[in-house]
């Protein structure tokens, strides 16, 4: 084979080709450098073969993100979704080596992207689809049984931090996110969802191997969100009571969560003075 | 090492989500084994893992990775290796395989199987890393020849010789993808037969078959079509040289019903049997002729 005057080291070659792929259209210098190092049949333009790799990257991400965000992709249409993904890839460095997880920062990106000006519900819908994806792959744990929950005093109960199944998530939105998610299999021209004044709180959970999304009461969702974030029971409930009045059915909700096998454990955070 | 050191799994197909429902119906498809893409199960405790465990109860499984990045100049991803080891412990696969390639640098993946320059520098690098991976996993792995669309001008070693050298020096196996040999040979103008002939038989523990897409100026390894007739011919040559090797049909895009993919594996079974029968007849004839000399 014809040798270039200054053959690149393995590291130089990998950094140049990776830059040509990951910064396609931005870092054209590296693409020219790589083309000079390529050995292809004489009749072939090296640039066309380099394009097999540089064009493969956005194509793979588009396919993976379409699988993770079927409702977002369906509602905005194929070409708008492709353009959104193209902007996402240019703007965000993806560090996951697993295509199933490459879209974890897409909801945040959508929230900041211009598309949210015309479609303000889209970021919440993407957040819900991320939660569905996480629930689908979650390693579920044995549920806590009622007799295993042993908290002796009110002070301990208030300091208790609940541990939930990794699949359980809450998505609260001022938009009818659950209705929008359910429309992912409805032909686009048949979708007719009233967006006005239709806030929905959605809980995501796994039942066996199936992922379920259900609308729940906004106050329950708020409490659940605080607890999922690691707040002790006392702090979370006092916060909710302050915002919504004291008459909230925490006991009923807690029983329902236990029956649904969402709670897998608990820890009592250190009490003051102990 | 003898070829018999590698498990003889027979003829299998890739485990794909599109077939989960059919596989869950309980009817055992007419194949001997399955290959699971490691990354689809390594981070999943849901349906994919449940299906894989169910399949594993009835049939051997190989774990086939796409993210080991054995040729990358990045440090080996010890977290990935720990998770792979845990998955292997759980599934007890017959084979653990990945690709002779690199997938990214500086902690970022291109989600592609990128070609290495075949130089002494690359050889030393890959051999050292394969040894470390095998130590971490407590087992030998097999490396697959990738499909390629370019080579590198400063390569000094032919790909089959490089693959053979890695296998010998690191004491690992070779997963020979016959479709990739054909695709790369057409894309880079080299002799596919000579490639097969340069692979050390005793190192080949598995063969892949798949379909490609003709893009006009190159062949694209899409795994979206039946095995091409040229690849079947090359497979015959490989079986004649390596003997009966565990063979797997990959179909990853435009995936047809399970029965169609199984039919392709059945074609491989017949092709392999016919090749070995022909070889035995030729050998018997040659022995008989020799006795009359």
């Amino acid at each position: 084979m014809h040798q270039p005057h200054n053959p690149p080291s393995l590291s130089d070659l990998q950094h140049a080709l990776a830059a040509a792929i990951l910064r396609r259209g931005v870092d054209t210098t590296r693409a020219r450098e790589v083309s000079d190092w390529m050995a292809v049949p004489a009749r072939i333009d090296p640039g066309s073969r380099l394009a097999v790799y540089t064009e493969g990257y956005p194509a793979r991400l588009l396919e993976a993100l379409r699988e993770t965000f079927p409702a977002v992709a369906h509602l905005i249409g194929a070409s708008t979704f492709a353009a959104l993904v193209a902007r996402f890839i240019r703007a965000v460095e993806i560090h996951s080596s697993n295509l199933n997880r490459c879209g974890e920062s897409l909801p945040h990106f959508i929230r900041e992207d211009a598309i949210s000006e015309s479609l303000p519900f889209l970021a919440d819908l993407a957040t819900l689809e991320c939660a569905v994806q996480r629930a689908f792959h979650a390693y579920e744990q044995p549920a806590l049984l009622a007799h295993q929950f042993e908290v002796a005093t009110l002070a301990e109960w208030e300091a208790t931090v609940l541990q939930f199944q990794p699949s359980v998530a809450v998505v609260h939105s001022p938009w009818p996110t659950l209705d929008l998610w359910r429309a992912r299999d409805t032909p686009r021209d048949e979708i007719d969802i009233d967006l006005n004044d239709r806030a929905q709180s959605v809980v995501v959970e796994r039942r066996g191997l199936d992922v379920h999304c259900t609308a729940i009461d906004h106050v329950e969702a708020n409490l659940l969100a605080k607890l999922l974030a690691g707040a002790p029971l006392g702090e979370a409930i006092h916060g909710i009571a302050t915002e919504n009045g004291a008459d909230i059915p925490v006991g009923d909700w807690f029983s329902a969560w236990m029956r649904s096998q969402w709670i897998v454990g608990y820890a009592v955070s250190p009490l003051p003075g102990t | 090492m003898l070829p018999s050191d590698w498990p003889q799994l027979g003829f299998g197909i890739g485990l794909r989500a599109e077939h989960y429902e059919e596989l869950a119906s309980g009817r055992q498809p007419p194949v001997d084994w399955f290959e699971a893409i490691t990354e689809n199960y390594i981070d999943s405790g849901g349906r994919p893992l449940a299906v894989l465990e169910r399949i594993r109860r009835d049939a051997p499984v190989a774990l086939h990775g796409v993210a080991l990045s054995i040729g990358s100049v990045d440090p080996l991803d010890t977290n990935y290796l720990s998770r792979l080891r845990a998955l292997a412990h759980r599934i007890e696969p017959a084979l653990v395989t990945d690709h002779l390639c690199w997938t990214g640098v500086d902690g970022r993946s291109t989600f592609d199987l990128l070609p290495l320059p075949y130089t002494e520098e690359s050889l030393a690098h890959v051999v050292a890393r394969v040894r470390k991976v095998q130590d971490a996993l407590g087992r030998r792995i097999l490396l697959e020849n990738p499909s390629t669309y370019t080579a590198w001008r400063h390569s000094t070693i032919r790909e089959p010789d490089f693959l053979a050298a890695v296998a010998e020096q690191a004491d690992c196996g070779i997963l020979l993808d016959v479709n990739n040999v054909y695709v790369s040979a057409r894309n880079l103008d080299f002799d596919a037969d000579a490639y097969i002939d340069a692979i050390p038989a005793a190192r080949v523990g598995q063969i892949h078959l798949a379909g490609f897409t003709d893009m006009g100026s190159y062949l694209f390894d899409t795994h979206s079509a039946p095995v091409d007739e040229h690849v079947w011919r090359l497979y015959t040559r490989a079986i004649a040289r390596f003997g009966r090797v565990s063979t797997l049909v990959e179909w990853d895009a435009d995936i047809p019903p399970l029965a169609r993919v199984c039919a392709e594996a059945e074609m491989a079974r017949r092709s392999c049997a016919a090749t070995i029968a022909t070889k035995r007849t030729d050998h018997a004839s040659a022995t008989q002729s020799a006795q009359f000399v």
Side-chain angles (χ1 to χ4, degrees):
Chain A
M1 268 176 208
H2 172 72
Q3 295 290 307
H5 292 304
N6 294 303
S9 67
L10 186 58
S11 176
D12 287 345
L13 183 144
Q14 291 188 359
H15 281 91
L17 180 53
I21 294 170
L22 299 171
R23 295 173 52 75
R24 173 174 167 256
V26 179
D27 193 345
T28 51
T29 313
R30 305 314 293 271
R32 278 199 299 277
E33 200 172 21
V34 171
S35 293
D36 287 344
W37 298 333
M38 291 170 65
V40 293
R43 65 184 185 282
I44 300 294
D45 165 31
S48 69
R49 288 294 173 84
L50 179 58
V52 176
Y53 296 104
T54 57
E55 290 172 9
Y57 178 69
R60 280 188 187 85
L61 283 173
L62 176 60
E63 187 182 346
L65 293 170
R66 201 187 288 126
E67 280 184 21
T68 305
F69 300 95
V72 169
H74 180 61
L75 286 177
I76 66 177
S79 60
T80 306
F81 186 72
L84 171 69
V85 169
R87 292 196 299 279
F88 174 64
I89 293 171
R90 271 199 302 275
V92 177
E93 283 196 3
I94 297 165
H95 286 276
S96 171
S97 60
N98 191 330
L99 276 170
N100 290 332
R101 295 185 166 187
C102 64
E104 288 188 346
S105 53
L106 185 63
H108 176 73
F109 175 80
I110 291 175
R111 210 172 293 285
E112 305 294 320
D113 186 73
I115 199 168
S116 280
E117 290 171 20
S118 54
L119 302 169
F121 57 82
L122 207 59
D124 289 344
L125 182 60
T127 301
L128 177 61
E129 296 206 285
C130 257
V132 169
Q133 168 89 344
R134 277 195 293 271
F136 180 76
H137 290 293
Y139 284 89
E140 296 291 79
Q141 298 170 21
L144 185 74
L145 302 173
H147 73 268
Q148 293 173 316
F149 191 68
E150 296 171 339
V151 176
T153 66
L154 179 62
E156 280 183 355
W157 191 85
E158 290 203 330
T160 295
V161 174
L162 298 177
Q163 292 150 1
F164 289 84
Q165 294 285 8
S167 62
V168 175
V170 169
V171 177
H172 178 73
S173 172
W175 307 99
T177 309
L178 183 60
D179 295 352
L180 292 164
W181 181 69
R182 285 178 174 157
R184 67 194 182 284
D185 295 323
T186 306
R188 289 180 69 206
D189 55 3
E190 292 176 21
I191 297 173
D192 181 19
I193 298 171
D194 180 8
L195 298 173
N196 294 318
D197 202 20
R198 300 240 3 258
Q200 280 182 339
S201 293
V202 185
V203 66
V204 180
E205 60 172 323
R206 264 253 301 278
R207 295 180 203 154
L209 298 175
D210 296 324
V211 179
H212 289 258
C213 295
T214 316
I216 62 169
D217 177 87
H218 296 309
V219 183
E220 180 185 0
N222 199 356
L223 176 61
L224 197 50
K226 287 178 191 291
L227 295 174
L228 283 165
L233 277 169
E235 177 190 317
I237 292 168
H238 289 149
I240 294 294
T242 306
E243 293 163 19
N244 301 279
D247 191 20
I248 51 175
V250 175
D252 294 346
W253 292 339
F254 186 78
S255 298
W257 301 343
M258 291 290 284
R259 280 198 305 278
S260 299
Q261 305 191 343
W262 291 355
I263 299 170
V264 296
Y266 67 97
V268 180
S269 53
L271 300 171
T274 61
Chain B
M1 186 203 335
L2 299 170
S4 56
D5 283 355
W6 302 106
Q8 295 285 330
L9 304 177
F11 300 85
I13 61 169
L15 179 60
R16 302 293 178 260
E18 286 77 359
H19 297 144
Y20 282 176
E21 206 170 313
E22 267 183 277
L23 291 167
S25 70
R27 284 193 309 277
Q28 182 68 16
V31 292
D32 303 318
W33 63 288
F34 292 87
E35 183 185 78
I37 300 296
T38 304
E39 288 69 24
N40 288 346
Y41 304 91
I42 200 167
D43 295 323
S44 180
R47 187 180 301 282
L49 186 62
V51 171
L52 180 60
E53 288 184 322
R54 191 191 172 288
I55 290 287
R56 177 65 188 91
R57 284 202 294 272
D58 299 327
V61 164
L63 289 178
H64 184 50
V66 293
L68 180 61
S69 200
I70 197 71
S72 172
V73 294
D74 271 4
L76 278 168
D77 184 344
T78 53
N79 180 269
Y80 175 84
L81 286 176
S82 299
R83 289 180 291 140
L84 175 55
R85 187 186 168 98
L87 182 64
H89 181 73
R90 187 165 185 153
I91 298 299
E92 297 181 347
L95 299 167
V96 174
T97 66
D98 207 292
H99 297 81
L100 178 67
C101 71
W102 61 285
T103 61
V105 282
D106 296 336
R108 289 194 65 192
S109 177
T110 63
F111 305 110
D112 205 344
L113 308 172
L114 303 172
L116 282 162
Y118 298 128
T119 62
E120 293 298 334
E121 181 197 12
S122 299
L123 180 60
H125 181 68
V126 172
V127 166
R129 284 163 67 96
V130 172
R131 287 184 182 142
K132 284 180 188 168
V133 169
Q134 294 185 146
D135 286 348
L137 298 179
R139 64 185 300 155
R140 289 192 301 167
I141 62 170
L142 291 86
L143 286 182
E144 175 184 340
N145 55 300
S147 54
T148 47
Y149 307 93
T150 186
W152 302 107
R153 288 167 60 194
H154 61 296
S155 285
T156 54
I157 307 170
R158 294 187 312 160
E159 182 174 289
D161 298 334
F162 188 93
L163 189 55
V166 169
E168 291 295 334
Q169 292 178 31
D171 190 21
C172 69
I174 294 172
L175 191 181
L176 186 69
D177 190 315
V178 177
N179 179 59
N180 288 354
V181 171
Y182 182 71
V183 165
S184 298
R186 282 280 304 274
N187 289 341
L188 301 175
D189 281 356
F190 66 73
D191 182 348
D193 287 350
Y195 190 114
I196 299 284
D197 295 347
I199 295 293
R203 291 286 172 184
V204 180
Q206 189 190 331
I207 286 177
H208 268 175
L209 293 169
F212 57 78
T213 302
D214 190 337
M215 305 297 284
S217 63
Y218 66 97
L219 301 184
F220 198 23
D221 181 28
T222 50
H223 299 180
S224 64
V227 178
D228 183 82
E229 60 179 302
H230 295 93
V231 176
W232 281 123
R233 190 198 63 75
L234 211 51
Y235 178 61
T236 302
R237 188 181 188 92
I239 292 298
R241 178 164 158 66
F242 307 133
R244 196 172 190 273
V245 176
S246 304
T247 298
L248 183 120
V249 173
E250 297 177 294
W251 208 317
D252 294 303
D254 301 330
I255 297 176
L258 183 60
R260 177 69 190 86
V261 187
C262 292
E264 207 75 353
E266 185 58 30
M267 283 177 70
R269 189 193 304 276
R270 287 183 195 155
S271 173
C272 177
T275 304
I276 286 174
T278 304
K279 200 175 173 190
R280 281 199 186 120
T281 307
D282 291 350
H283 179 71
S285 303
T287 308
Q288 216 166 28
S289 302
Q291 286 171 347
F292 289 106
V293 172

